[in-house]
Amino acid sequence: MPFTLPPRTLSGPRRRSLLASAAGAFVLVGCSAPEPSTVTTARSPSAADLTRARAARDSESLAARYAAVITAHPRLAARLKPLRAEVVRHAQAFGGSGTAGSRPSGSPSASASAHPSPSPTVPAQEKDALADLATAERTLADQRAKALLTVPGELARLLASVAAAGAAHAFLLTEGAK
């Protein structure tokens, strides 16, 4: 006698209906939940924009310091004008106008971020004025080196490049002082 299988009875939903239900649920979940990258992207530009704006202000403030030293010590103009021109270009690269440093007078609050102890007046001695500028360049370069760790790629590269230029300016300002 041949062995026959008992007829199959359906005890639950079919495979096709389960797949259709799973696909429908997936679509509904995809539509209702925001993507995690959308949430983080919304905050990133804000932090980057703030960093960029601060960097522009700091460069403009530093350019104003250079202008003040050039006005107070005209003999240093040939040495300082190329460095000041670079600082103005840095401000423009960060989105600043680059014109804030065209006047020698800078506000003490604007220069506070570029120099630890802001001084509205330029030191009377050329050597001291150069040392003051070198300190401002070093301080700003250090601030930018720290800030580049918190911003996205392209802005981080720009901050790194400008920080390196600031360190080079500090070296050039102190060259011959020893």
Side-chain angles (χ1 to χ4, degrees):
M1 179 167 177
F3 181 74
T4 59
L5 293 171
R8 195 170 154 180
T9 59
L10 296 175
S11 62
R14 292 184 165 207
R15 191 180 325 179
R16 284 184 189 162
S17 62
L18 281 175
L19 289 174
S21 298
F26 180 72
V27 169
L28 287 176
V29 169
C31 291
S32 63
E35 285 185 21
S37 63
T38 306
V39 174
T40 57
T41 305
R43 285 185 234 154
S44 295
S46 177
D49 290 343
L50 291 174
T51 301
R52 185 181 294 273
R54 179 177 179 197
R57 281 192 313 271
D58 289 345
S59 289
E60 289 174 345
S61 175
L62 186 59
R65 284 178 163 273
Y66 272 98
V69 172
I70 290 169
T71 301
H73 302 286
R75 291 183 346 159
L76 296 175
R79 184 176 178 183
L80 298 181
K81 280 185 179 180
L83 298 177
R84 183 187 173 280
E86 284 295 315
V87 171
V88 169
R89 281 192 285 276
H90 296 162
Q92 291 168 342
F94 287 119
S97 65
T99 58
S102 61
R103 286 178 297 230
S105 62
S107 68
S109 62
S111 61
S113 60
H115 192 269
S117 57
S119 173
T121 60
V122 175
Q125 300 295 318
E126 289 179 358
K127 183 178 178 179
D128 294 337
L130 291 174
D132 189 48
L133 282 174
T135 300
E137 285 277 14
R138 263 189 236 98
T139 302
L140 193 52
D142 290 344
Q143 287 175 0
R144 288 176 173 164
K146 289 177 187 170
L148 70 89
L149 300 173
T150 63
V151 294
E154 199 58 37
L155 181 55
R157 285 186 282 280
L158 179 60
L159 280 171
S161 177
V162 174
H169 289 181
F171 172 78
L172 292 172
L173 289 166
T174 57
E175 185 179 49
K178 296 176 182 172

